[in-house]
């Protein structure tokens, strides 16, 4: 029988300098056995037997995704004498020669511009930010965001104290009912509450309406904003930048085992509506002002002093440095991942994971045929693990020829490796042509999009502190989003009806202690239980993982979703999966790929697996509660006329219990419709067609 090639080694060498790796392999690596011959991309090792050549091993390297990969193939039917020695020594030596590197951005610029500061370390990032409108401002913002994030990770035990409590009373007639800090997600909720008649102030650090992220959603999810009366169907249509026919999910599988290769998953109603974020925010701002609310933009939050009857917020107007103060009954933290309030309330466990996310809106320059704007690329990878990260792309069509493209990875926060926006941007500008064919110099850049999207691994609904007396967090600051594709925007919109109802009751009855406000959260047990899924997509800092491992795991599960009816995939990705479906899919994945549990265990570790069992138990009990107490919403509705005014605390607790999504959001929606909602503005509502 003729000899054939057999792959015997596949590793990643975490450096973009493939030339250095090839030179080391050819000139410095010492073979334990065999004779080395140089080839254009590596070496060939001839191993002699007793009377002839026993076989050959070909070792070569190549570059992709700003890193280096190495493979070794045996030219023989059976293992060659000394083969294992060569593999083991090669792997050990190359790990020593090319260890993981976690670059740190240079220190603050001083008199230099941000372009001068970063030009040496991040040359492509500087080159293309110079072509982006407001590029210098945005690169400065990305730099300082990363610096602030790094500082928070490096000093988790010394979070800056910004919330202070005092027994002193300086007044009992606050100017506002609600003060929101953070104008992106904050303005949505603020506008709703202002339309309910509350006195609302929104404080935003940036010029209002400007943000470095784009939003996608589906029509049925946006319907909640229409049901609440914030938007009319016509207004919703006016903020749609684009709507595509189908969305694709596909992960690189060329190096995966056969059982870990998958068909494309189609999700035509997931994130298929691109929102014009600035137009959307401007409309929310106009509605807030029309309802009597106020907006202080370019104003930075400094501290909050909580008194028995009010909260005093101190801030600074950035253009002049002027100090400003205001008083309110309740402070709402919508500052996102950089929120100093979230860090103070949760100390070392502010966040468990993060997705460093970078990208841009590109208005033109892609050759014809590169992408059809009738479709979205919801999740895609075009290679294996790169420098300890599984890079994932998202592509969403926008208005006209606009394409919004993101690059991100799931990341386990570590002091030596907090996660870098600037490294990701250098990757983005280097490997974008690998993902979608293009001439980078021909692209027309419209806007930079970037941010840290946090994650929190919840064991139960009370696992994370989101409130203080007269203070509550929403959105990314609360870190209660899906671990897959949704950020705080999706979580807020899907839960807005519930959060509004609970907040309205809390304000109406002055239930503004931390004990009550901690129940106003977007926690879902069916979302919390899936955090192990995202944990399995993170490479622990300092560890080397088989390059195809994460793509194999992703393809296993998404291949199962592709084989299911479309409604099942949609429910899973939109955080609506119920207990029975979750367990059926998990068992199906274990049957298809028995190694899956071992892989997750290796990446997550025994400690997090035990924590996950707590999440699963909470999910199970939540589902059981939903089945056993299906009568509770009707009972609560019947009790409302006499219970709410007599025992408002009990009424609030019952309302919080029955509005928690039980074994899936669809069930929760059905429950919430049974409870009387006097605060809804149905006369301004309507329905959008799918």
């Amino acid at each position: 029988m003729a000899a054939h090639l057999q792959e015997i080694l596949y590793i990643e060498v975490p450096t973009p300098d493939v030339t250095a790796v090839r030179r080391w392999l050819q000139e410095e690596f010492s073979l334990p056995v065999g004779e080395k011959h140089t080839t254009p991309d590596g070496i060939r090792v001839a191993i002699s037997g007793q009377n002839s050549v026993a076989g050959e091993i070909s070792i070569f390297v190549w570059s992709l995704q700003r890193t280096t990969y190495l493979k070794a193939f045996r030219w023989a039917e059976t293992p060659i004498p000394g083969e294992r020695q060569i593999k083991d020594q090669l792997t050990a030596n190359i790990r020593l020669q090319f260890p993981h590197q976690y670059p740190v951005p240079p220190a603050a610029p001083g008199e230099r511009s941000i372009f001068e500061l970063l030009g040496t370390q991040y040359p492509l990032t500087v080159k293309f930010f110079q072509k982006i409108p407001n590029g210098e401002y945005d690169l400065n913002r990305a730099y300082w965001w990363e610096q602030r994030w790094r500082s928070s990770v490096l000093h988790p035990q010394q979070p800056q104290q910004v919330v202070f409590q005092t027994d002193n009373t300086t007044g009992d007639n606050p100017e506002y009912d609600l003060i929101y800090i953070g104008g992106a997600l904050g303005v949505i909720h603020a506008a709703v509450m202002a339309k309910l008649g509350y006195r609302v102030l929104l404080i935003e650090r940036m010029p209002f309406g400007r943000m470095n992220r784009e939003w996608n959603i589906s029509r049925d999810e946006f319907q909640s904003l229409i049901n609440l009366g914030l938007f009319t169907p016509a207004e919703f249509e006016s903020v749609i930048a684009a709507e595509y026919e189908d969305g694709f999910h596909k992960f690189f599988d060329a190096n995966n085992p056969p059982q870990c290769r998958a068909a494309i998953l189609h999700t035509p109603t997931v994130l298929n509506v691109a929102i014009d974020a600035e137009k959307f925010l401007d409309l929310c701002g106009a509605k807030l002002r029309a309802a009597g609310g106020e907006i202080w933009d370019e104003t930075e939050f400094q501290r909050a002093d909580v008194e028995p009857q009010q909260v005093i917020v101190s801030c600074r107007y950035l253009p002049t440095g002027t100090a400003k103060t205001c008083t309110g009954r309740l402070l709402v933290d919508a500052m996102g991942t950089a929120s100093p309030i979230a860090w103070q309330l949760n100390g070392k466990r502010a966040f468990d994971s993060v997705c460093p996310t970078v990208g841009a809106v590109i208005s033109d320059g892609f050759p014809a045929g590169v992408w059809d704007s009738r479709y979205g690329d919801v999740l895609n990878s075009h290679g294996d693990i790169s420098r300890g990260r599984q890079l994932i792309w998202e592509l969403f069509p926008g208005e006209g020829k606009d394409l919004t493209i993101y690059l991100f990875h799931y990341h386990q926060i570590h002091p030596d490796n907090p996660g870098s926006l600037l490294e990701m941007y250098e990757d983005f500008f280097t490997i974008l042509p690998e993902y979608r064919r293009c001439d980078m110099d021909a692209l027309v850049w419209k806007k930079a999009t970037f941010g840290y999207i946090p994650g929190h691994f919840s064991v139960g609904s009370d696992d994370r502190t989101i409130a203080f007396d007269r203070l509550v967090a929403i959105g990314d600051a609360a870190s209660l989003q899906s671990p897959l594709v949704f950020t705080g925007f999706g979580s807020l919109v899907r839960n807005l009806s519930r959060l509004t109802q609970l907040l309205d009751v809390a304000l109406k009855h002055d239930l503004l202690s931390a004990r009550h406000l901690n129940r106003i959260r977007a926690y879902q047990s069916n979302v919390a239980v899936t955090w192990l899924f995202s944990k399995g997509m993170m490479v622990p800092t300092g560890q080397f993982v088989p390059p195809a491992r994460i793509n194999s795991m992703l393809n296993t599960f998404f291949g199962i979703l592709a084989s299911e009816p479309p409604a099942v995939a949609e429910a899973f990705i939109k955080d609506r999966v119920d207990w029975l479906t979750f367990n059926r899919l998990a068992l199906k994945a274990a049957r298809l790929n028995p190694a899956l549990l071992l892989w997750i265990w290796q990446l997550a570790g025994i400690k997090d697996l035990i924590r996950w069992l707590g999440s699963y138990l909470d999910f199970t009990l939540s589902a059981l509660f939903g089945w056993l107490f299906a009568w509770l919403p009707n009972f609560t509705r019947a009790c409302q006329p006499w219970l709410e005014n007599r025992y408002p605390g009990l009424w609030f607790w019952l309302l919080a219990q029955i509005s928690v999504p039980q074994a899936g959001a669809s069930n929760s929606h059905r429950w919430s419709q049974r409870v009387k909602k006097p605060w809804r503005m149905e006369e301004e509502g309507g329905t959008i067609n799918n």
Side-chain angles (χ1 to χ4, degrees):
M1 182 182 294
H4 65 279
L5 285 173
Q6 176 68 43
E7 182 182 310
I8 59 173
L9 181 65
Y10 175 36
I11 59 174
E12 186 225 351
V13 186
T15 175
D17 193 349
V18 66
T19 302
V21 179
R22 182 171 55 246
R23 185 184 303 117
W24 175 86
L25 189 63
Q26 294 171 339
E27 299 176 6
E28 299 181 35
F29 173 56
S30 298
L31 290 167
V33 295
E35 182 180 350
K36 181 195 294 187
H37 301 275
T38 298
T39 65
D41 296 309
I43 60 173
R44 179 171 55 86
V45 182
I47 301 176
S48 300
Q50 290 183 347
N51 300 313
S52 63
V53 175
E56 291 187 349
I57 296 175
S58 175
I59 304 172
F60 57 92
V61 295
W62 74 97
S63 178
L64 187 73
Q65 299 187 122
R66 250 185 109 221
T67 193
T68 301
Y69 299 97
L70 178 149
K71 279 193 175 185
F73 282 83
R74 175 210 309 138
W75 184 257
E77 290 293 329
T78 58
I80 303 170
E83 175 183 308
R84 176 168 289 279
Q85 281 180 276
I86 293 173
K87 289 196 305 178
D88 291 347
Q89 185 163 317
L90 172 60
T91 302
N93 289 0
I94 209 167
R95 296 289 189 239
L96 290 173
Q97 185 68 27
F98 300 99
H100 281 297
Q101 300 286 335
Y102 305 112
V104 177
E111 297 298 321
R112 291 181 294 170
S113 73
I114 194 68
F115 294 140
E116 293 173 324
L117 176 70
L118 302 180
T120 301
Q121 194 166 337
Y122 307 102
L124 291 182
T125 301
V126 166
K127 174 183 176 180
F128 289 107
F129 262 89
Q130 288 176 320
K131 298 184 177 185
I132 298 174
N134 299 306
E136 185 171 8
Y137 175 88
D138 284 341
L139 186 55
N140 256 307
R141 188 160 181 261
Y143 171 81
W144 285 111
W145 199 344
E146 175 163 337
Q147 293 293 76
R148 189 171 183 178
W149 174 263
R150 285 179 175 273
S151 175
S152 298
V153 173
L154 289 171
H155 307 289
Q157 294 180 327
Q158 296 87 31
Q160 177 188 2
Q161 185 175 3
V162 292
V163 179
F164 302 84
Q165 191 163 31
T166 176
D167 293 330
N168 297 332
T169 301
T170 59
D172 57 3
N173 186 26
E175 305 162 84
Y176 304 97
D177 296 303
L178 289 153
I179 299 173
Y180 287 81
I181 311 291
L185 294 180
V187 70
I188 304 170
H189 203 259
V192 171
M193 298 306 292
K195 288 175 74 70
L196 293 178
Y198 290 103
R199 299 167 298 163
V200 176
L201 170 66
L202 176 72
I203 298 174
E204 164 59 23
R205 188 180 187 278
M206 295 176 64
F208 178 74
R210 198 164 185 279
M211 59 181 291
N212 291 105
R213 278 159 66 176
E214 295 295 305
W215 286 330
N216 280 65
I217 202 166
S218 63
R219 284 181 172 269
D220 66 320
E221 289 172 312
F222 197 94
Q223 181 68 42
S224 65
L225 298 181
I226 294 176
N227 292 343
L228 284 168
L230 182 58
F231 284 84
T232 66
E235 287 171 334
F236 171 57
E237 298 296 332
S238 74
V239 299
I240 294 177
E243 186 171 8
Y244 56 76
E245 299 174 10
D246 198 1
F248 309 137
H249 306 248
K250 178 59 186 167
F251 302 96
F252 185 68
D253 60 10
N255 297 306
N256 292 6
Q259 73 273 20
C260 299
R261 295 174 182 171
I264 295 174
L265 171 63
H266 296 264
T267 53
T269 57
V270 172
L271 300 178
N272 62 308
V273 177
I275 300 296
D276 185 324
E278 294 186 6
K279 187 184 293 185
F280 174 82
L281 292 177
D282 285 343
L283 188 53
C284 287
K287 289 178 175 290
L288 171 60
R289 290 186 173 106
E294 297 180 43
I295 298 176
W296 293 358
D297 65 349
E298 297 185 83
T299 302
E300 185 176 51
F301 167 78
Q302 300 286 304
R303 62 181 284 163
D305 293 277
V306 179
E307 297 183 351
Q309 300 300 320
Q310 65 180 8
V311 57
I312 303 172
V313 177
S314 301
C315 46
R316 181 168 58 95
Y317 183 54
L318 295 176
T320 63
T322 306
K324 302 179 74 173
T325 60
C326 53
T327 59
R329 295 176 61 199
L330 180 67
L331 176 64
V332 181
D333 176 15
M335 285 185 281
T337 61
S339 168
I341 294 175
W343 285 96
Q344 178 182 333
L345 294 185
N346 290 277
K348 292 179 66 176
R349 281 207 66 207
F351 306 114
D352 291 301
S353 67
V354 69
C355 285
T357 303
V358 301
V361 180
I362 302 170
S363 59
D364 204 355
F366 281 100
V370 168
W371 191 258
D372 189 332
S373 290
R374 295 177 299 167
Y375 306 103
D377 213 11
V378 183
L379 293 171
N380 178 286
S381 66
H382 78 276
D384 290 325
I385 290 171
S386 167
R387 303 200 318 281
R389 308 153 308 158
Q390 179 58 66
L391 301 177
I392 300 175
W393 295 94
E394 291 181 306
L395 183 155
F396 299 114
E399 186 176 11
K401 292 184 177 180
D402 286 2
L403 292 177
T404 300
I405 302 177
Y406 297 106
L407 181 67
F408 71 95
H409 67 97
Y410 292 89
H411 184 66
Q412 179 181 344
I413 299 171
H414 190 282
D416 295 335
N417 182 23
S420 173
L421 293 178
L422 296 174
E423 279 294 314
M424 285 291 288
Y425 255 128
E426 196 68 10
D427 289 330
F428 178 84
F429 292 119
T430 303
I431 70 176
L432 179 58
E434 297 175 2
Y435 168 59
R436 295 297 167 206
R437 176 172 51 88
C438 65
D439 176 356
M440 292 291 290
D441 292 319
L443 298 180
V444 180
W445 305 90
K446 185 175 182 180
K447 177 181 177 181
T449 57
F450 54 85
Y452 285 103
I453 302 173
H456 180 80
F457 300 157
S458 298
V459 176
S461 60
D462 298 326
D463 189 44
R464 177 175 172 81
T465 302
I466 64 156
F468 193 78
D469 290 347
R470 297 192 176 274
L471 186 156
V472 68
I474 62 172
D476 285 335
S479 189
L480 294 170
Q481 61 287 102
S482 163
L484 191 57
V485 295
F486 290 102
T487 62
F489 176 64
S491 174
L492 178 67
V493 170
R494 289 194 304 280
N495 289 279
L496 193 62
S497 175
R498 172 176 181 267
L499 298 179
T500 301
Q501 182 180 21
L502 290 173
L503 188 57
D504 181 60
V505 172
L507 287 165
K508 179 180 176 182
H509 298 289
D510 205 33
L511 303 173
L512 301 179
S513 67
R515 178 170 62 92
H516 291 106
L517 294 175
N518 256 310
R519 299 197 177 277
I520 304 178
R521 61 175 69 224
Y523 174 82
Q524 295 176 218
S525 62
N526 63 329
V527 174
V529 79
T530 59
W531 67 254
L532 193 65
F533 186 78
S534 63
K535 184 73 174 180
M537 291 186 275
M538 304 176 196
V539 179
T541 294
Q543 293 189 23
F544 289 95
V545 175
R549 177 61 49 82
I550 293 176
N551 274 327
S552 295
M553 294 168 62
L554 288 167
N555 277 296
T556 296
F557 200 75
F558 276 80
I560 290 171
L561 291 178
S563 69
E564 293 281 329
V568 174
E570 180 175 344
F572 182 85
I573 296 174
K574 288 185 177 180
D575 301 336
R576 295 174 180 168
V577 66
D578 59 36
W579 188 87
L580 289 173
T581 303
F582 176 86
N583 282 277
R584 182 176 62 81
L585 294 176
L587 290 172
K588 190 173 181 180
R591 239 182 356 258
L592 176 66
N593 182 10
L596 193 61
L597 288 176
L598 176 62
W599 292 350
I600 293 175
W601 175 54
Q602 290 172 339
L603 288 171
I606 188 66
K607 181 179 177 181
D608 278 330
L609 276 178
I610 292 173
R611 285 178 61 196
W612 177 82
L613 289 175
S615 291
Y616 180 78
L617 177 61
D618 185 68
F619 181 36
T620 302
L621 292 176
S622 178
L624 186 61
F625 180 90
W627 294 328
L628 294 178
F629 293 91
W631 51 269
L632 187 58
N634 285 333
F635 174 77
T636 303
R637 181 180 62 180
C639 294
Q640 182 175 0
W642 65 268
L643 180 63
E644 181 175 3
N645 290 326
R646 288 183 178 88
Y647 306 101
L650 177 59
W651 163 250
F652 180 80
W653 182 85
L654 281 172
L655 199 60
Q657 297 306 308
I658 66 173
S659 61
V660 171
Q662 306 293 337
S666 58
N667 194 35
S668 165
H669 175 74
R670 187 168 63 249
W671 280 29
S672 64
Q673 296 304 312
R674 298 175 184 171
V675 181
K676 183 180 179 183
K677 299 178 182 178
W679 43 268
R680 287 183 63 189
M681 301 163 282
E682 297 179 356
E683 69 277 2
E684 297 187 31
T687 303
I688 46 180
N689 296 320
N690 282 301

